[in-house]
Amino acid sequence: MALYTFLLLGGWILGDALQDVIIPEMRPMHEPMIHRIVMSALILFILAAAIPFVPGAEIGFALLLVFGGKAAPLVYGGMVGALILSYCIARLVPADSLGNFLRWLGLTKAADLVFDIEETEAQDRAMFVARKLPKSFGEKLVRNRYILLAMAINLPGNTLLGGGGGLAFIAARSGLFGFWSFTLVVLCSVAPVPLLFALM
């Protein structure tokens, strides 16, 4: 928590100091340049936040601290886009390639889990995952997986769990989250913090 607090404060101070230098004064002649800066920053934010273990939520929060409520729509759209991008990439990556890559990293158990899930029929995957979890609450967690995902996305320090991009990737590979249900969870769970800044 101390590290995250330090990163957020450092980002806020640095961003505040550089804001007037990096962003030109708002004049008609500067509008195309500002538009390019904003769009480039949004694309970079989406790509960065989609990568597992990158603290996308913390980056978005730092942007909100620096630019305030006017950045809320961009931060919200960027984070939603990043999570959906990570989900879609996970669906496109072949299980064999992912499993072999995990084994190459030495993550044998994770690789075995990827292969086992891939070999399990879609309708049986929820029960398969529940059996991998502690018996006392495994089925309950799987049954409430949408609430659990929403909570994990908003959990401070969720980078340790893979960050938003990692959580989206896992959600896709598990086969427990359909695209539209996942998108709905993301749209709702990402909204509170940007909305709070927009209303301030």
Side-chain angles (χ1 to χ4, degrees):
M1 289 301 295
L3 176 61
Y4 279 109
T5 302
F6 175 77
L7 289 174
L8 288 175
L9 287 175
W12 179 76
I13 294 170
L14 182 62
D16 190 55
L18 296 178
Q19 185 176 2
D20 294 333
V21 177
I22 296 175
I23 300 179
E25 185 180 351
M26 180 62 78
R27 294 177 180 173
M29 68 182 68
H30 290 151
E31 287 184 9
M33 182 188 300
I34 292 172
H35 179 73
R36 286 195 297 271
I37 291 173
V38 171
M39 294 308 298
S40 298
L42 179 61
I43 292 171
L44 287 174
F45 175 49
I46 291 174
L47 293 176
I51 300 172
F53 296 102
V54 169
E58 286 80 355
I59 295 172
F61 187 63
L63 290 171
L64 290 171
L65 285 176
V66 172
F67 298 106
K70 59 187 177 183
L74 289 177
V75 171
Y76 176 72
M79 198 64 206
V80 169
L83 296 179
I84 292 176
L85 175 62
S86 182
Y87 179 96
C88 292
I89 290 174
R91 283 291 183 92
L92 295 174
V93 174
D96 289 344
S97 299
L98 179 59
N100 291 331
F101 177 68
L102 290 172
R103 280 186 176 163
W104 180 75
L105 292 175
L107 303 173
T108 306
K109 289 185 178 180
D112 292 340
L113 183 60
V114 168
F115 289 126
D116 290 342
I117 289 177
E118 188 66 22
E119 293 171 359
T120 304
E121 294 293 334
Q123 65 272 16
D124 298 327
R125 288 184 180 179
M127 187 59 65
F128 171 80
V129 172
R131 286 198 299 267
K132 292 288 183 179
L133 297 170
K135 189 175 182 181
S136 56
F137 55 85
E139 290 186 18
K140 186 177 293 186
L141 287 179
V142 172
R143 190 165 55 249
N144 297 291
R145 60 188 177 273
Y146 296 102
I147 297 174
L148 187 65
L149 177 62
M151 291 173 60
I153 289 174
N154 285 296
L155 185 68
N158 68 5
T159 308
L160 299 174
L161 302 175
L167 292 168
F169 196 94
I170 293 169
R173 291 308 314 178
S174 70
L176 300 182
F177 298 86
F179 176 78
W180 294 113
S181 59
F182 171 82
T183 300
L184 181 60
V185 170
V186 167
L187 288 171
C188 295
S189 60
V190 173
V193 174
L195 182 61
L196 177 63
F197 274 84
L199 296 175
M200 290 174 62

